[in-house]
Amino acid sequence: MFELVRVVSKGEAEALVVGVFKDRKLDSATRALDADGSIALAAARPECTGDVGRIAEAYPPGRGHNRVLIVGLGDRAKFNPGSLRTIGGALGRRLAQTKDSRVDIELAGALTDAKPRIKADFAGRCLGEGLGLIAWNFTRFKGKGTPDRPKKTPLFVRSSDGAFQEGLERGLALAASTNIARDLSETPPNIATPAYIAVQARAMAKAVGLSCRVMEEKELEKERLIGLLNVGKASENRPCMIRLEYTPKSAGRKSKGDKPVVLIGKTMTYDTGGLSIKPTPGMAGMKRDKDGGCAVLGAMHAVATVIKPDQRVVALLAVAENSISDEAYRPDDIIVYRNGVSVEVTNTDAEGRLVLADALIWACEKESPACIVDLATLTGGVVTALGSTFAGMFCEDDRLRERLQRAMDTSGERWWRLPHDQEYNDMMKSNSADIVNSNPNRKAHPIQGAAFLSFFVDKSVPWAHIDIAGVHAVDSDSGPFIKGPTGWGVRLLADFLTR
Ligand code: BES
Ligand code: MN
Ligand code: ZN
């Protein structure tokens, strides 16, 4: 929607944004900006309802701003910080129409009335996220067949409230990291092959100062990363494992030796289902089966550019294409992992867990992780259960879960806890191998996935599995998102790594 959105403190702004709560008058800070009374007049009009994101406009005649957007902040007594993301999205949509490119955002005064109270920097951050997220769209493949595409213009924002403006900057930066994930998600599978993902990861790592290692086929064989090799067998686009590492700048010997947080992402560049092939309606959209990995990449970008935690962070992307050919792995195959667990393949469409197993084993064996968080578009069952509102989250470690809870509260990326239990592990027993990759009955699908993964994680390592199959994309415009990928997880993980 915009070419870019950036904070700039200098220069005259054409537009001014102020806020009003539902059923409330303009606050004193806003009244002080209303030299000729035109804001008060507009605020008294019926379209100025105060509902979240509803915008009424005033056009002061004299010098200064020639447009004022009075945006609704919702119910003051039930204020929800997350609504500032929706508000940012609504403002962005309007400003893209009005073509104002320099905007003063003066919401800090009005927001002092909010209950519960919100700090100005956090408010700025949420609004910045909304503006940065709504700015995203994907025109890379728009060609000669779309002659009159709207020209993208830059948007410069600022605020006289220093804390709010710093927040804006942070929110825009977090949105920029999120948009990296959305760009990759949207890129079609004939372009975004495993090799392409590796090139993108390398370039991103180089640009922001992360180290990057790509394990290609030879190395996968040497290291016996058998899940990736089998799932990737049928495709000429060969699988790989990508490892990124962030080391704090200030790293003394101590923090270098510290156990890292390990982030793992399912990165299936396309999921046909393999020989257990998906029916047509289930296959379309499976370019987004890489979104766990895309979110982890975006989160590593945020780690390097915004969060800069003083702890090591390692990312592992298990990248493959689940296709079909005479070389495809099949239902009934048995494969043996490097941790000694044998798996009978009952369904080649339950491929995500097979490649995640490699990454989980690798993390436990090679990285001495402080904890592991994996993100995966793992099951259709979680979409049925939770829709696009909550991700499905599995974590038996109280401390890790509490940290993820705090990150969910600040990022607004919400999950709902689902259970682990021995009975679910028992469902995965195989007659001829240790476990199956999918129990043929339809019971507890999202939990079967987590139960399967648990066979590849050391009991001593705190671990969370987040099934994002419902939340990684939306099928219509909503809040600060347009139809398409949401980059779900980038901001959750960024906040998770913020101390
Ligand atoms: N990638 C799919 C899950 C998925 C479904 C993601 C819908 C996004 C939207 C996964 O690999 C898959 O095929 N899961 C199967 C598992 C089954 C075969 C055990 C499913 O959910 O049906
Ligand atoms: Mn599948
Ligand atoms: Zn899949």
Side-chain angles (χ1 to χ4, degrees):
M1 206 166 282
F2 297 107
E3 182 193 334
L4 58 90
V5 188
R6 191 183 296 155
V7 170
V8 278
S9 311
K10 295 193 302 269
E12 292 278 290
E14 300 124 24
L16 166 67
V17 171
V18 297
V20 65
F21 282 107
K22 199 171 170 58
D23 302 323
R24 302 274 296 176
K25 298 217 167 63
L26 294 175
D27 68 290
S28 58
T30 301
R31 285 201 307 274
L33 295 168
D34 190 16
D36 57 12
S38 58
I39 300 181
L41 266 180
R45 279 207 299 267
E47 74 264 29
C48 192
T49 61
D51 289 308
V52 167
R54 267 296 278 277
I55 297 169
E57 295 187 4
Y59 310 98
R63 288 170 54 234
H65 303 108
N66 49 39
R67 182 193 304 274
V68 181
L69 287 76
I70 308 165
V71 68
L73 302 173
D75 193 334
R76 160 191 179 252
K78 287 185 252 158
F79 182 68
N80 166 16
S83 62
L84 283 168
R85 297 189 179 93
T86 299
I87 290 165
L91 288 170
R93 283 191 172 95
R94 181 66 188 145
L95 291 167
Q97 291 168 338
T98 64
K99 305 269 187 273
D100 292 302
S101 69
R102 289 175 182 275
V103 183
D104 282 330
I105 301 181
E106 302 300 353
L107 294 175
L111 284 170
T112 53
D113 263 355
K115 273 202 171 107
R117 300 194 61 147
I118 180 166
K119 288 195 175 134
D121 59 345
F122 184 57
R125 173 203 146 162
C126 292
L127 196 89
E129 283 177 50
L131 282 172
L133 292 169
I134 199 65
W136 183 85
N137 62 1
F138 191 80
T139 51
R140 179 171 166 190
F141 295 98
K142 294 285 184 197
K144 293 243 167 74
T146 314
D148 34 36
R149 294 201 297 282
K151 199 178 161 303
K152 287 201 227 176
T153 50
L155 179 66
F156 300 110
V157 294
R158 67 180 179 191
S159 174
S160 65
D161 185 291
F164 189 92
Q165 180 167 296
E166 268 175 41
L168 275 177
E169 221 148 352
R170 190 178 178 88
L172 288 169
L174 288 169
S177 298
T178 307
N179 291 344
I180 290 175
R182 294 164 88 191
D183 272 333
L184 266 183
S185 167
E186 193 69 8
T187 306
N190 55 330
I191 309 263
T193 58
Y196 178 94
I197 305 282
V199 167
Q200 297 299 309
R202 268 214 191 90
M204 190 272 275
K206 187 152 184 246
V208 301
L210 298 167
S211 71
C212 179
R213 169 181 173 197
V214 179
M215 289 181 251
E216 287 173 355
E217 204 160 20
K218 283 263 154 56
E219 225 172 326
L220 297 180
E221 272 160 19
K222 194 174 127 239
E223 297 290 355
R224 288 173 293 136
L225 298 176
I226 205 77
L228 278 164
L229 287 167
N230 274 278
V231 171
K233 264 199 316 194
S235 175
E236 61 179 348
N237 304 312
R238 311 311 285 172
C240 65
M241 174 114 100
I242 303 173
R243 180 187 184 279
L244 297 167
E245 179 170 357
Y246 162 85
T247 314
K249 273 264 155 42
S250 58
R253 224 173 298 125
K254 184 181 156 290
S255 60
K256 277 225 171 77
D258 264 359
K259 295 177 160 191
V261 170
V262 177
L263 309 176
I264 292 177
K266 168 178 172 180
T267 319
M268 207 54 55
T269 61
Y270 202 68
D271 181 11
T272 63
L275 289 172
S276 315
I277 195 165
K278 286 180 184 296
T280 303
M283 199 184 299
M286 279 302 144
K287 69 171 179 182
R288 296 201 203 290
D289 210 18
K290 55 186 176 321
D291 284 5
C294 296
V296 168
L297 267 186
M300 290 305 280
H301 183 268
V303 159
T305 59
V306 188
I307 311 299
K308 302 173 186 160
D310 80 80
Q311 178 175 27
R312 282 200 305 132
V313 184
V314 169
L316 298 172
L317 273 63
V319 199
E321 177 178 359
N322 190 20
S323 193
I324 28 176
S325 78
D326 58 335
E327 289 179 79
Y329 81 125
R330 359 167 155 62
D332 290 354
D333 281 356
I334 291 180
I335 60 180
V336 182
Y337 280 86
R338 65 176 279 159
N339 71 342
V341 175
S342 60
V343 172
E344 179 188 1
V345 176
T346 50
N347 189 325
T348 62
D349 198 9
E351 84 297 339
R353 59 200 71 182
L354 295 175
V355 303
L356 287 170
D358 283 334
L360 290 165
I361 294 171
W362 182 276
C364 291
E365 209 183 298
K366 306 270 194 182
E367 308 285 0
S368 49
C371 63
I372 301 174
V373 180
D374 80 70
L375 261 63
T377 48
L378 206 68
T379 68
V382 87
V383 192
T384 307
L386 299 171
S388 298
T389 308
F390 292 90
M393 206 282 302
F394 301 82
C395 177
E396 297 300 294
D397 184 272
D398 294 344
R399 279 190 51 211
L400 177 55
R401 211 174 50 245
E402 277 159 26
R403 267 182 79 184
L404 285 166
Q405 168 87 49
R406 284 196 293 276
M408 138 163 130
D409 294 341
T410 52
S411 68
E413 294 193 313
R414 300 187 294 164
W415 46 259
W416 199 268
R417 186 185 178 187
L418 295 170
H420 269 314
D421 193 274
Q422 184 56 41
E423 287 191 17
Y424 298 114
N425 280 23
D426 293 343
M427 283 178 79
M428 306 314 287
K429 289 253 155 71
S430 158
N431 268 337
S432 39
D434 295 333
I435 52 176
V436 292
N437 73 332
S438 173
N439 184 311
N441 80 42
R442 295 282 305 170
K443 284 182 176 174
H445 254 176
I447 314 181
Q448 282 192 37
F452 178 91
L453 295 177
S454 73
F455 284 86
F456 303 92
V457 184
D458 288 355
K459 297 283 164 289
S460 61
V461 178
W463 163 59
H465 159 59
I466 309 184
D467 191 335
I468 62 168
V471 292
H472 66 133
V474 287
D475 25 77
S476 59
D477 293 2
S478 94
F481 298 106
I482 58 168
K483 177 179 174 356
T486 57
W488 199 102
V490 174
R491 290 169 302 118
L492 177 85
L493 291 175
D495 281 3
F496 171 70
L497 291 161
T498 305
R499 276 280 109 155

